[in-house]
Amino acid sequence: LMTNALLDDGAYLFLFGYDPDGFGVEHFNIIEGEALAAARRSQGRARDLRGRPVLLGRRAAESLGKGVGDSIRFESSAFRIVGVYETGDQFEDGAAVIPLEEAQSLALLSRHVSMVYVQLRDLADADALRARVERQYPELAVSTASEFADQQIMFDILDGVAMTVAGLAVVIGGVVMTNTLFMSILERTREIGLLRALGWRKRRVLALILGESLILSLLGGLLGIGLGVAAVLAVGRSSSWLGALGTHFTSGLLVRALVTVTLLGLVGGAYPAWRASRLLPLEALRYEGGSEGRASRLQLAQRVPGGMVIRAHWRRRMRTALALVGIGISIAAI
């Protein structure tokens, strides 16, 4: 039986109900603890009152911060985690497995099942069995194990497509940020020349532009994290079935987003920073475009922490906002 249950914190967790002694539960590879059948036998001997046994998928255990021996409540019913499993299927690894009768009780579906697994002595009988079942029960669909494997391959392909889209979004965000920095440098060519004339070394100019790039990318990353969390929560609340897929956010996912934006800032700002540091003071001061670069304004901006960065991008607020949104959407896609 496949169903979902509401946890105490308001989140949904997908549940699989299996016969603990059946062969169908064997594909849940126990990586910690023990199987349902062994747990029920030991529970019967020890009369453990801490809760009924449940297996938790590896991803679900990490998201909930639970392990073997911990308790968990589904719909106000107490369960005890007796094992953690892993199948390699992201959907299954983000769910839990409980005895069939417990799943039927939680779902209020006594004597109901979602599917029936049949093990054949001879695989050559599969087509004959399919034809007989579909003829006698037209409302049922029969699938073989290989067809289930094909469905899993399709899910893996969709997952790969999603990661490719996220990767393209990151590339686009990097291009937007690089373009923003290039335009900023062109407009401030005379300012950079004046800074060089006032004694700034190449590496200091390089650090200035890279700092701007990192600040932009980190601000865009924080915006993207907020957008991503809001989108996932909105999707999860729009449907109880989608909510059962899980709306938990791990620290590793947030760290991955911050690492991505940091690398994005360094890589996206490297070439503009190098170009800015290579500007010769005399040529930069002769540049006709961009701002006037008066010394009084530059000195005032230097006295304020981050003042030069704020001053430069405040003058082109719309362009900076578009860059932040581009980076934010990229991180939200991840």
Side-chain angles (χ1 to χ4, degrees), residues 153-189:
I153 292 174
M154 181 59 67
F155 279 118
D156 292 340
I157 292 174
L158 291 176
D159 187 52
V161 170
M163 291 304 296
T164 302
V165 171
L168 289 175
V170 171
V171 171
I172 293 172
V175 170
V176 170
M177 186 182 64
T178 302
N179 180 68
T180 300
L181 289 174
F182 261 125
M183 295 300 296
S184 176
I185 291 171
L186 285 176
E187 294 174 353
R188 296 154 58 199
T189 298

Side-chain angles (χ1 to χ4, degrees), residues 14 24 109 182 282:
F14 207 87
L109 294 173
F182 261 125
L282 185 59

Side-chain angles (χ1 to χ4, degrees), residues 57-131:
R58 180 186 58 80
R59 290 182 61 244
E62 293 174 354
S63 299
L64 298 176
K66 298 286 187 178
V68 174
D70 293 336
S71 297
I72 189 171
R73 299 183 69 86
F74 303 137
E75 310 286 354
S76 300
S77 299
F79 285 80
R80 178 172 56 90
I81 301 172
V82 298
V84 176
Y85 67 83
E86 185 175 30
T87 66
D89 183 301
Q90 294 188 8
F91 180 66
E92 290 182 336
D93 290 347
V97 178
I98 59 178
L100 176 60
E101 62 270 19
E102 302 291 353
Q104 291 171 332
S105 176
L106 287 174
L108 302 178
L109 294 173
S110 178
R111 301 177 62 83
H112 283 72
V113 294
S114 303
M115 65 178 64
V116 175
Y117 288 92
V118 178
Q119 191 172 32
L120 300 177
R121 293 191 181 93
D122 188 353
L123 293 179
D125 298 332
D127 292 336
L129 176 63
R130 182 202 295 261

